[in-house]
Amino acid sequence: MQLTMPDEQAPRLLCVEVYGRAPLCYMTETAAALLGELARTTVFVPTTTRTREQYGRIHLPGPASRYAICANGGHILVDGVSDPDWQARVARRIADECVSLDQVRSHVLATADPAWLLKERVAEDLFTYVVVDRAALPDGWVKELAAWADPRGWTVSLQGRKIYAVPKPLTKSAAMAEVARRTGATRTLAAGDSLLDADLLVAADRAWRPGHGELADSGWGAPNTEVLRERGVAAGEEILRRFLRAAEARPAGL
């Protein structure tokens, strides 16, 4: 992680994820206090493309959230346990609307070049992603993969060194709507920076997009989504401020 401000202006940081015995992810101490307040006053739902195992490495400050959304909407965790009914609903939609994960994996591996393909992984038996050498990745490969995947019910997203292939029914917005239904939420707030967050932002009543990430790089926007200048940990802090102001202005569920 690289900070954008001069060293003497750098905020105090709190580590919220350790991986391989090394600190990996951080938030500012101010953001930690804001998050604690948000978690105490709203139904705060961490929402991520990460698998359940990857999400388990994150230790956010404040009260534990009863609900969390993992695997891009494939799992709704309730008190840390994946809801089996939601899993079954997602599995049925994918089976009805998409070609199989095995077919997509086979196509990805058949068309990728070992010279730039570093890893291939399957997440929760729901979607696949590859880690690539961006410098050696051919310019048109991701577009060609997306064109192949689209009529087969899959979407493709490039995020840094990772290229995701995800079934179209597997969305964060669908999982958010389900949590809102269960909690009786009448208003939803969201933030995100990747193309896999776009459906979530569009579906929310209000949303925020930071100045970094895949959405910023592509110039993505939506009528309900406010674009922020801040990047990195500063963006996280500012988004939490916006969440709290919006929640105080009108009762918010998520």
Side-chain angles (χ1 to χ4, degrees), residues 2 4 134 157-162 191-198 201 208-221 227-233 235-236 239:
Q2 186 172 9
T4 58
R134 282 293 297 270
S157 173
L158 173 63
Q159 300 181 39
R161 298 191 307 138
K162 293 181 179 178
D193 63 4
S194 84
L195 285 176
L196 291 173
D197 295 325
L201 303 185
W208 290 265
R209 191 209 83 189
H212 67 262
E214 192 180 27
L215 293 178
D217 292 344
S218 65
W220 183 92
V227 176
L228 303 178
R229 298 190 313 272
E230 290 84 359
R231 301 166 56 90
V233 291
I239 286 167

Side-chain angles (χ1 to χ4, degrees), residues 1 14 22 35 43 47 66 93-95 97 107-108 116 139 145 155 158 174 182 212 215 223 228 231-232 238-239:
M1 179 190 65
L14 174 69
L35 181 58
V43 181
T47 302
R66 185 177 186 205
R93 284 200 62 194
I94 293 174
E97 301 175 26
H107 181 81
V108 169
W116 47 261
D139 289 340
L145 177 61
T155 186
L158 173 63
R182 295 185 187 192
H212 67 262
L215 293 178
L228 303 178
R231 301 166 56 90
E238 181 60 24
I239 286 167

